[in-house]
Amino acid sequence: MAASLERDATPEQQNLDAIIVGAGFAGLYQLYRLRELGLRTRVIEAADDVGGTWYWNRYPGARCDVQSLSYSYSFSPELEQEWEWTEKYATQPEILRYLNHVADRFDLRRDITFSTRVTAAHYDEHAARWTVTTDAADKIDAQFLIMATGCLSASKLPEVPGLERYRGRTHETARWGQQEVRFDGLRVGVIGTGSSGIQAIPIIAEQAAELTVFQRTPNFSMPAGNRPLTGEEVARTKANYRAFRAAQRNSRAGIPAEPATEFALATTQEERNAKYEAGWQKGDLVSLGGSYIDILLDPAANETAAEFIRAKIRAVVTDPEVAETLSPRTFPFGTKRPCLDTGYYETFNRPNVHLVDLRKTPLVEFTQTGIRTSAEHYELDAIVFATGFDAMTGALGAIDIKGRNGVALSSRWSAGPRNYLGVAMAGFPNLFTITGPLSPSVLSNMVVSIEQHVDWITDCIAHLRRTGYHAVEATTEAEDAWVKHVAEVGAFTLFPQADSWYMGANVPGKPRVFMPYVGGVPEFRQKCDEVAANGYEGFTLIKQGEPAAV
Ligand code: N01
């Protein structure tokens, strides 16, 4: 049942300056920063506790594939020093404990209404305020509305008929229950081989009597090399955290890495393979792909890295036919989000694990007892959906957002997302999106990008208050120019060649647009900082009672 905002919020809290939607990494930090500014703020969260993506994604094997000492807040040196990460890659429970610790340590919960979903947000031009409606039919309003709704939070099931007929157990990786789920003795089917499926499959395989993996597109995966952190390396990072954070902010993906200096095709195959091997052994998302300047720019250069990984798959998977089915051939390496795994390819050597190639035999329907493909019926006691998200725009699209003149965000975005710096939209004054589409977001360490956007939004609001303005709104010209720039930079790379969720290609009918900004975290930060330093160039600042510029 949805909570009541009237019940949760004191009268003073109802006279709000800001509403934040979502209590994950982004919403918690934004609340912390707005409190510092003295804004009366309320966070509205659909789940019954904090955590965002780390609240919902409790599937077996869920962990972050950015290293724990990096994937953490930098805003509080005390927090950095007191929190103890235990593994190179933190598990979902450990990250959720961290976010709970943050919520408690900074006393954030008293301004959060849980178990409440925002259904609509309409801009009242007369009052120059946002009115937010929830699934409890509450309405509250505030001067500022900040969407901390996440890039990967609107999960999706496959568009295949008959699911309502299926009588066995179903689980969704992105909506996993709170109770431990075991698969001992069961015939289990997993649909989906993205990051979630690749993490869950090895663990489900150890429990299930039989596991059938339904794969539409094989993904490139590299070994995570996860291990406990040593006291010495934690102490070393903690002693140098300021320099480490600076290095994160100055690196392309928010993950410190040596920039490539050579072109792949200008070296010999032997040299390339030595470099790829070193990247492979590092066990991270950026080293192998970052070996050469041209991997994401030149198909022939890319193929050298792709073939290196395919050779690794062939070396591990004993059945050559299975190895080939697991080998990606339909998109360049890195243009769909690569994965890190623990024993993924080895899992397909187990006698209880079977791989179904949905490209050869597509899913036809769910039946009462299992799944039918074009070739066969599979009897299953449980089905796990690891079928991904309506990424980047899905959570915003699920809310009826209307700006000036009652214009719906969904209609403005019907041909793809449009905004300025991923953070603000023309026609939607005082509405901010944290790590929205057209920002580096999912191509970066999300925590680094979240902190950058939250700090920028907070500075912008502080500027308005200091200078006596009531509202800020991106101009149409600035928005158009940013949309064009993001598309141009994206088109320079191989990314648009893949049918990826970056391109919206996993959602039938979604416009095919490359949604993240691939220009890099430091360049993006510099652009945002310049805009602010130039008096919020590309924005109109509006005084209370003044008409907004069109
Ligand atoms: O989702 P995905 P995810 N019939 O979209 C398949 C982050 N993340 O939840 O590729 C059959 O990657 C689909 O096939 P295809 C990370 O950014 C991070 O795994 O569309 N199959 C694909 O194989 C990641 O990229 C972490 O052809 C269908 C799979 O389902 C993002 O979240 C962990 C289908 C979906 O893969 C999303 O990852 C987890 C259909 N109708 C997630 N529909 C870490 O930090 C979809 N599929 C470790």
Side-chain angles (χ1 to χ4, degrees):
M1 200 185 83
S4 163
L5 281 163
E6 275 83 13
R7 192 189 60 217
D8 283 9
T10 63
E12 194 198 28
Q13 283 170 328
Q14 284 178 37
N15 184 17
L16 291 170
D17 296 311
I19 296 168
I20 299 168
V21 186
F25 264 100
L28 293 178
Y29 180 46
Q30 186 67 76
L31 171 59
Y32 173 85
R33 290 299 320 270
L34 292 188
R35 267 203 200 152
E36 277 186 335
L37 273 192
L39 265 65
R40 289 175 303 254
T41 305
R42 180 138 288 270
V43 179
I44 306 176
E45 166 58 57
D48 64 9
D49 210 339
V50 298
T53 198
W54 299 106
Y55 173 93
W56 295 106
N57 286 267
R58 298 167 188 248
Y59 59 85
R63 14 175 125 245
C64 186
D65 52 19
V66 176
Q67 298 188 29
S68 54
L69 288 158
S70 290
Y71 191 82
S72 50
Y73 290 119
S74 72
F75 70 85
S76 164
E78 297 77 21
L79 174 65
E80 281 173 342
Q81 293 301 321
E82 74 200 14
W83 186 261
E84 292 294 328
W85 294 108
T86 63
E87 292 180 71
K88 176 180 171 188
Y89 293 109
T91 60
Q92 173 273 331
E94 189 168 18
I95 300 171
L96 192 57
R97 277 199 300 280
Y98 172 74
L99 288 170
N100 273 278
H101 171 75
V102 169
D104 293 335
R105 190 190 193 288
F106 299 103
D107 187 22
L108 299 177
R109 289 177 201 279
R110 67 185 155 86
D111 288 327
I112 307 176
T113 298
F114 292 107
S115 306
T116 303
R117 186 171 285 280
V118 169
T119 54
H122 294 173
Y123 189 62
D124 176 343
E125 279 182 72
H126 181 66
R129 289 172 76 79
W130 282 93
T131 301
V132 165
T133 310
T134 74
D135 57 356
D138 283 327
K139 281 191 195 302
I140 51 168
D141 62 276
Q143 183 183 355
F144 300 102
L145 174 61
I146 302 168
M147 308 305 289
T149 39
C151 295
L152 294 157
S153 43
S155 63
K156 63 176 285 294
L157 294 171
E159 299 74 19
V160 176
L163 186 54
E164 68 291 345
R165 282 201 293 270
Y166 177 63
R167 295 224 186 105
R169 278 167 42 182
T170 57
H171 304 277
E172 205 182 333
T173 49
R175 288 283 177 274
W176 207 261
Q178 305 251 0
Q179 306 302 323
E180 191 198 359
V181 175
R182 300 242 359 142
F183 295 96
D184 304 87
L186 301 184
R187 295 163 303 175
V188 182
V190 175
I191 306 177
T193 51
S195 300
S196 305
I198 280 177
Q199 288 186 327
I201 283 164
I203 295 175
I204 296 173
E206 284 170 10
Q207 299 172 7
E210 300 292 330
L211 170 62
T212 306
V213 176
F214 295 89
Q215 172 193 274
R216 187 164 68 182
T217 313
N219 222 326
F220 290 99
S221 188
M222 299 169 282
N226 189 42
R227 56 176 175 74
L229 289 169
T230 66
E232 195 270 327
E233 67 191 310
V234 172
R236 196 171 355 107
T237 303
K238 285 189 173 183
N240 294 295
Y241 241 136
R242 299 282 58 77
F244 181 70
R245 298 304 193 186
Q248 286 186 303
R249 292 187 191 112
N250 288 323
S251 59
R252 200 171 172 71
I255 301 170
E258 282 296 312
T261 53
E262 292 176 299
F263 289 86
L265 299 182
T267 61
T268 64
Q269 188 176 350
E270 207 178 7
E271 284 170 325
R272 279 196 299 269
N273 281 348
K275 202 159 210 174
Y276 293 148
E277 182 64 33
W280 179 266
Q281 293 302 335
K282 273 202 178 159
D284 65 34
L285 279 176
V286 292
S287 293
L288 199 156
S291 301
Y292 295 103
I293 295 166
D294 47 351
I295 287 185
L296 279 169
L297 305 177
D298 176 350
N302 189 284
E303 179 57 20
T304 64
E307 187 47 33
F308 174 86
I309 300 180
R310 289 186 211 115
K312 288 286 187 188
I313 298 170
R314 290 193 291 273
V316 171
V317 179
T318 48
D319 181 331
E321 203 178 318
V322 175
E324 181 52 30
T325 305
L326 288 167
S327 296
R329 297 210 179 259
T330 55
F331 60 96
F333 165 63
T335 58
K336 288 178 87 150
R337 168 86 153 52
C339 305
L340 291 186
D341 73 88
T342 303
Y344 177 65
Y345 293 117
E346 290 82 348
T347 298
F348 291 89
N349 292 335
R350 295 177 65 105
N352 68 329
V353 175
H354 320 285
L355 182 62
V356 175
D357 183 350
L358 296 178
R359 293 204 172 229
K360 288 189 180 144
T361 58
L363 289 179
V364 172
E365 61 173 350
F366 296 97
T367 65
Q368 283 190 4
T369 56
I371 288 177
R372 190 184 313 284
T373 67
S374 61
E376 225 176 296
H377 184 262
Y378 297 85
E379 296 279 331
L380 298 166
D381 304 308
I383 300 175
V384 174
F385 295 98
T387 41
F389 300 86
D390 181 354
M392 310 205 70
T393 57
L396 293 168
I399 300 172
D400 168 29
I401 299 175
K402 290 202 173 90
R404 280 196 290 107
N405 304 319
V407 173
L409 187 69
S410 55
S411 70
R412 288 292 318 281
W413 285 15
S414 58
R418 306 187 63 75
N419 63 31
Y420 184 32
L421 305 175
V423 76
M425 280 79 69
F428 298 81
N430 285 354
L431 172 66
F432 298 101
T433 49
I434 302 174
T435 63
L438 317 188
S439 77
S441 64
V442 293
L443 295 180
S444 70
N445 176 344
M446 283 303 297
V447 187
V448 172
S449 286
I450 283 169
E451 287 194 327
Q452 184 266 334
H453 251 175
V454 168
D455 290 342
W456 191 93
I457 292 166
T458 309
D459 290 348
C460 178
I461 292 175
H463 176 81
L464 295 182
R465 299 239 142 167
R466 230 180 6 253
T467 50
Y469 287 99
H470 183 80
V472 60
E473 180 181 346
T475 66
T476 306
E477 295 72 34
E479 183 175 279
D480 289 348
W482 184 250
V483 172
K484 188 163 171 270
H485 174 64
V486 172
E488 279 169 0
V489 180
F492 194 64
T493 71
L494 302 178
F495 277 104
Q497 294 190 10
D499 286 336
S500 64
W501 58 255
Y502 296 141
M503 296 294 299
N506 64 328
V507 178
K510 193 166 170 171
R512 193 179 167 94
V513 172
F514 181 60
M515 292 182 284
Y517 175 58
V518 71
V521 166
E523 293 77 1
F524 182 73
R525 177 185 300 272
Q526 191 185 342
K527 169 76 181 165
C528 291
D529 289 350
E530 280 170 13
V531 164
N534 293 335
Y536 292 90
E537 194 175 23
F539 286 92
T540 305
L541 305 186
I542 306 157
K543 290 240 155 95
Q544 178 91 54
E546 276 182 359
V550 182

